[in-house]
Amino acid sequence: MKNMVIMPNSVTGYHWTGPSLTTDQKNVPVAAGLPKIFWCKQMTYPDDLPQISVVFIFVNEALSVILRSVHSVVNHTPSHLLKEIILVDDNSDNVELKFNLDQYVNKRYPGLVKIVRNNKREGLIRARIQGWKAATSPVVGFFDAHVEFNIGWVEPALTRIKEDRKRIILPAIDNIKYNTFEVQQYANAAHGYNWGLWCMYIIPPQDWLDKGDESAPIRTPAMIGCSFVVDREYFGEIGLLDPGMEVYGGENIELGMRVWQCGGSMEVLPCSRVAHIERTKKPYNNDIDYYAKRNALRAAEVWMDDFKSHVYMAWNIPMANPGVDFGDVSERIALRQRLQCRSFKWYLENVYPEMRIYNNTVTYGEVRNSKASGYCLDQGAEEDDKAILYPCHGMSSQLVRYSSEGVLQLGPLGSTAFLPDSKCLVDDGKGRTPTLKKCEDVLRPAQRFWDFTQNGPIISRDTGRCLEVEMSKDANFGLRLVVQRCSGQKWMIRNWIKHGRH
Ligand code: UDP
Ligand code: MN
């Protein structure tokens, strides 16, 4: 795993910054003979490619940035292939995006640009659908309105779709630095996600790496979302994006699950490159986490079968009464039935085998002790490997997972093989302090097994000692977590999982 391009999950946004190609890809095998930059240049494409409609969506974007995207697509797309550009204004209140924008594009590119105005904010998901409705070419490309297109970006994408209309094509994404507008080339990556359905760049599949051909399409389980190209009618047939999703997030993962489960595919095309400004702050909402969670639950309920429990677990919320209204998913379930799509298990095995599966979970969530009301078990500072008690807040540092084997894990789910998993609570029999260790590093496996029943003690199977709370003046909040001779303290955990068949 030397050529990692995995970016950590974050709650601030979903396009992670990645290392540049030159430093990051030293270890990636390069096809013998030619430097890889020539591979894409040497490809040839059919003459009779279908035309594309390019859709940009925006809300309160800078006018100059939108125009930059428009100029770039005009300048770097052969004119006979670019049928139209569709600008979807998702109800911006910025005045320069009204008359000034209209006037500029109509003068500069007469007849080429259509502008669609939403008279209320629809969110990025329905804004993209509006763009699709206005499009008339056989192929449609969807982009954020702060991108630049590299030379030759469209031909490989159209070729792959012409060969097979069920392919969703993702141009490889590079970064435009938001403060200098310098383009930074990223390592070639697939697009994955964690169980919270936040996306991240992941290492391409092993067979792609083994091939050593940097121009070959990269199978990808999902998409980052700021750039994708699809056959217009096929996109309609498989149900566009989920129009019940609001504002931001989740739609990019849902489309990945859906296209694979319903007989299509998704791939990153390294020879088709689009650069995107990674912003540090959204100019529209500051609560996109809430919408990402809500939209993730829709995807989970429709596509993930029994694995949906993993999404609830990742967000550390109960499955019954999660406190989030994700709306009505019945039409999306009907769509899945109509298209006769495969199971999520099939998708995991065939498309996203790097996902870590937590089917042995019996309970999860916040864990409280009757002696310390308002306090929860917490993984504490990541470096110091000590579980602590901390005021309950329900975030993932207080996610406790108890498995049918008796393992107690604290902290956010590792989710994929690309990231370390949450640590195991251990009674090593030495002092009175329980520790957190990488589960595979525990020398005597018995040290990580506990008996835990609801409203009962937590007992180490190895030492017979109990996990308990001790009042102590010199501990944080006056509470210390210890392992000691059982005195009858009781613990409560929030959520129980009932698993059906898989
Ligand atoms: N967007 C929109 N309506 C919304 C939210 C976002 O049209 O309610 C657009 C936004 O202008 C951008 C795209 O959706 O073109 C993706 O959003 P953003 O670039 O903020 O997400 P990021 O790329 O930072 O994850
Ligand atoms: Mn963006």
Side-chain angles (χ1 to χ4, degrees):
M1 277 210 213
K2 277 185 214 136
N3 38 44
M4 290 256 294
V5 282
I6 315 308
M7 308 309 136
N9 177 29
S10 142
V11 289
T12 55
Y14 71 16
H15 300 316
W16 315 128
T17 38
S20 71
L21 190 77
T22 44
T23 54
D24 193 62
Q25 291 216 325
K26 279 188 188 138
N27 302 310
V28 172
V30 174
L34 285 171
K36 59 184 174 259
I37 194 160
F38 291 128
W39 281 84
C40 295
K41 283 194 176 169
Q42 290 197 338
M43 309 260 271
T44 53
Y45 304 103
D47 290 330
D48 55 341
L49 289 171
Q51 284 193 308
I52 189 168
S53 303
V54 168
V55 174
F56 295 109
I57 60 167
F58 58 89
V59 54
N60 291 343
E61 200 77 48
L63 175 62
S64 61
V65 168
I66 297 174
L67 294 179
R68 206 182 160 91
S69 307
V70 172
H71 293 319
S72 171
V73 76
V74 172
N75 293 343
H76 293 158
T77 311
S79 56
H80 70 282
L81 295 178
L82 180 63
K83 176 154 191 206
E84 63 202 353
I85 295 169
I86 296 160
L87 301 177
V88 182
D89 173 3
D90 193 15
N91 198 230
S92 303
D93 35 36
N94 202 338
V95 287
E96 67 172 5
L97 301 181
K98 307 297 171 183
F99 180 69
N100 293 3
L101 174 66
D102 267 45
Q103 202 194 26
Y104 188 97
V105 295
N106 288 328
K107 217 160 153 188
R108 178 78 187 257
Y109 303 118
L112 186 64
V113 183
K114 285 187 196 168
I115 301 184
V116 177
R117 307 256 184 213
N118 291 341
N119 45 29
K120 66 175 181 40
R121 260 286 287 295
E122 295 289 353
L124 84 83
I125 297 99
R126 289 194 297 274
R128 290 212 161 104
I129 296 174
Q130 303 287 2
W132 176 84
K133 286 183 182 156
T136 57
S137 309
V139 175
V140 190
F142 296 90
F143 302 92
D144 287 7
H146 38 261
V147 294
E148 283 188 59
F149 297 79
N150 215 319
I151 295 162
W153 77 278
V154 85
E155 295 88 340
L158 296 176
T159 302
R160 292 292 289 172
I161 290 172
K162 188 176 149 71
E163 282 166 16
D164 177 354
R165 66 194 286 269
K166 296 186 173 176
R167 285 180 183 144
I168 296 182
I169 304 300
L170 316 182
I173 299 168
D174 295 308
N175 184 30
I176 301 173
K177 294 185 182 170
Y178 67 91
N179 46 356
T180 60
F181 278 48
E182 188 191 335
V183 173
Q184 173 191 26
Q185 190 171 353
Y186 274 172
N188 286 322
H191 304 180
Y193 53 90
N194 64 19
W195 283 118
L197 310 191
W198 280 104
C199 66
M200 58 192 184
Y201 292 117
I202 59 172
I203 300 174
Q206 194 58 45
D207 57 344
W208 185 88
L209 295 170
D210 290 345
K211 239 185 303 185
D213 176 0
E214 290 252 3
S215 65
I218 304 169
R219 185 190 78 210
T220 185
M223 64 177 192
I224 295 286
C226 61
S227 148
F228 64 103
V229 182
V230 59
D231 181 282
R232 181 172 57 86
E233 285 176 1
Y234 175 65
F235 195 38
E237 286 161 30
I238 60 162
L240 305 170
L241 297 171
D242 174 0
M245 290 189 177
E246 302 289 345
V247 182
Y248 175 102
E251 86 295 345
N252 50 341
I253 311 301
E254 190 265 357
L255 181 62
M257 294 172 180
R258 170 153 46 92
V259 72
W260 282 109
Q261 286 178 242
C262 306
S265 66
M266 190 177 265
E267 65 191 34
V268 174
L269 262 193
C271 291
S272 172
R273 304 199 78 89
V274 173
H276 163 260
I277 300 178
E278 269 163 30
R279 30 168 152 242
T280 48
K281 191 176 175 316
K282 312 276 179 229
Y284 39 89
N285 283 65
N286 49 21
D287 55 351
I288 56 163
D289 263 30
Y290 169 78
Y291 292 101
K293 170 163 71 181
R294 178 194 179 280
N295 295 344
L297 295 185
R298 289 183 68 84
E301 290 293 332
V302 177
W303 297 102
M304 294 175 69
D305 309 324
D306 261 357
F307 291 90
K308 72 182 179 185
S309 58
H310 291 58
V311 179
Y312 287 86
M313 207 171 359
W315 286 97
N316 203 3
I317 51 178
M319 293 180 69
N321 306 319
V324 179
D325 178 5
F326 56 77
D328 180 2
V329 291
S330 56
E331 277 184 36
R332 302 306 283 179
I333 290 171
L335 172 75
R336 178 172 173 177
Q337 276 158 0
R338 197 163 67 240
L339 296 173
Q340 303 193 347
C341 307
R342 293 179 196 260
S343 68
F344 193 75
K345 183 167 184 283
W346 174 90
Y347 165 84
L348 278 185
E349 286 168 0
N350 292 280
V351 185
Y352 202 8
E354 297 89 350
M355 223 45 186
R356 235 185 227 120
I357 294 171
Y358 299 95
N359 277 343
N360 59 356
T361 305
V362 284
T363 70
Y364 70 93
E366 293 169 332
V367 167
R368 296 160 192 259
N369 182 296
S370 51
K371 282 216 154 159
S373 82
Y375 289 85
C376 282
L377 272 189
D378 190 300
Q379 69 170 358
E382 250 168 271
E383 327 70 76
D384 67 0
D385 288 346
K386 262 198 214 121
I388 57 168
L389 285 163
Y390 195 86
C392 297
H393 53 57
M395 314 275 262
S396 54
S397 62
Q398 296 184 347
L399 172 63
V400 179
R401 199 179 73 84
Y402 183 60
S403 75
S404 53
E405 291 84 49
V407 173
L408 264 173
Q409 282 174 277
L410 265 67
L413 299 179
S415 288
T416 65
F418 303 115
L419 295 169
D421 202 1
S422 11
K423 290 182 181 158
C424 277
L425 187 73
V426 171
D427 175 8
D428 62 11
K430 289 187 192 126
R432 299 176 69 229
T433 311
T435 53
L436 288 175
K437 286 200 177 126
K438 274 192 183 166
C439 302
E440 59 275 19
D441 290 353
V442 180
L443 291 180
R444 274 159 33 88
Q447 294 179 338
R448 61 185 164 153
F449 293 128
W450 304 82
D451 285 321
F452 180 15
T453 47
Q454 184 69 300
N455 211 16
I458 296 180
I459 310 171
S460 161
R461 283 193 200 155
D462 195 40
T463 64
R465 299 195 292 180
C466 278
L467 181 73
E468 298 203 331
V469 175
E470 177 181 84
M471 311 294 158
S472 155
K473 269 198 222 94
D474 50 335
N476 282 340
F477 308 108
L479 298 167
R480 192 196 307 282
L481 204 58
V482 293
V483 270
Q484 63 183 12
R485 203 145 65 86
C486 303
S487 74
Q489 286 185 19
K490 297 185 167 104
W491 293 90
M492 274 78 59
I493 187 161
R494 185 130 178 238
N495 311 298
W496 293 75
I497 291 189
K498 271 209 206 90
H499 277 293
R501 285 176 304 116
H502 284 285

